[in-house]
Amino acid sequence: MNDLQRLKEMGITVWDVKRPDLFPNNADKAIALPSSCKLLFVSDAELSERDAWLFGKILASMKLTPEQALSLPSRALANLGEHSLIWCWFAGASVQTLSGVNSLSSPVLSILNDDQDAKKALWKQIKRYEN
C-alpha cells in the first residue's frame, strides 16, 4: 500500500507539503475540486469531534451533505482551480471573493459552538443568499 492510499483510507484528501521548496515541480499546481463539491470550508483550525458535529448540522440546514463539502487551509485557496462551488465558508480566516460563489464568514467552529450570537450571524448570512 502506498502513502496516498493510506491517507485516503484515513479520510485525508487534502494536505499540504511542509517544505514546498523541496518539491519545485509541484509549485503552482491548481487544486482541482470534484464537481460534487458545493461548499468549500476554509479554516486553519483543526476540527474536533464536537466541531465536526456542528459542521454537519450546519451543512444539513443548508440542504448539503458532508460529501458535498471539502476543507482547505486559507493558504491553499490561492491554488484553487476550476470548481462547481456554490458556497465558500471562511471560519476564522480572511474572506476572499470567489466569483459567482456565496461567501460566508464566521469564527472558528470551536468558538461558534458556544457563541449563540455568532451562530445567529452565520444563519442570517445563509438566509440572505436564499432570498
Side-chain angles (χ1 to χ4, degrees), residues 74-120:
S74 58
R75 66 185 173 281
L77 196 58
N79 296 332
L80 187 61
E82 289 187 30
H83 56 78
S84 301
L85 293 172
I86 297 170
W87 301 94
C88 193
W89 177 3
F90 298 88
S94 297
V95 175
Q96 300 176 36
T97 304
L98 296 175
S99 180
V101 178
N102 301 330
S103 293
L104 304 172
S105 177
S106 75
V108 293
L109 289 178
S110 60
I111 292 173
L112 196 63
N113 262 311
D114 299 316
D115 188 338
Q116 292 302 319
D117 291 334
K119 285 180 189 175
K120 286 178 188 174

Side-chain angles (χ1 to χ4, degrees), residues 62-78:
M62 299 171 72
K63 298 176 180 55
L64 295 172
T65 64
E67 295 77 25
Q68 293 176 297
L70 288 175
S71 177
L72 281 179
S74 58
R75 66 185 173 281
L77 196 58

Side-chain angles (χ1 to χ4, degrees), residues 7-81:
L7 289 171
K8 188 173 182 180
E9 283 184 6
M10 294 170 35
I12 300 172
T13 57
V14 177
W15 59 90
D16 287 319
V17 176
K18 288 188 181 211
R19 300 270 320 270
D21 54 306
L22 297 177
F23 301 93
N25 293 337
N26 286 337
D28 301 329
K29 288 220 175 172
I31 296 172
L33 298 179
S35 61
S36 61
C37 181
K38 302 303 176 196
L39 182 140
L40 184 62
F41 182 73
V42 180
S43 182
D44 295 323
E46 286 198 33
L47 298 183
S48 69
E49 191 173 312
R50 184 175 180 221
D51 298 340
W53 178 84
L54 177 62
F55 183 67
K57 288 295 206 183
I58 294 169
L59 285 177
S61 76
M62 299 171 72
K63 298 176 180 55
L64 295 172
T65 64
E67 295 77 25
Q68 293 176 297
L70 288 175
S71 177
L72 281 179
S74 58
R75 66 185 173 281
L77 196 58
N79 296 332
L80 187 61

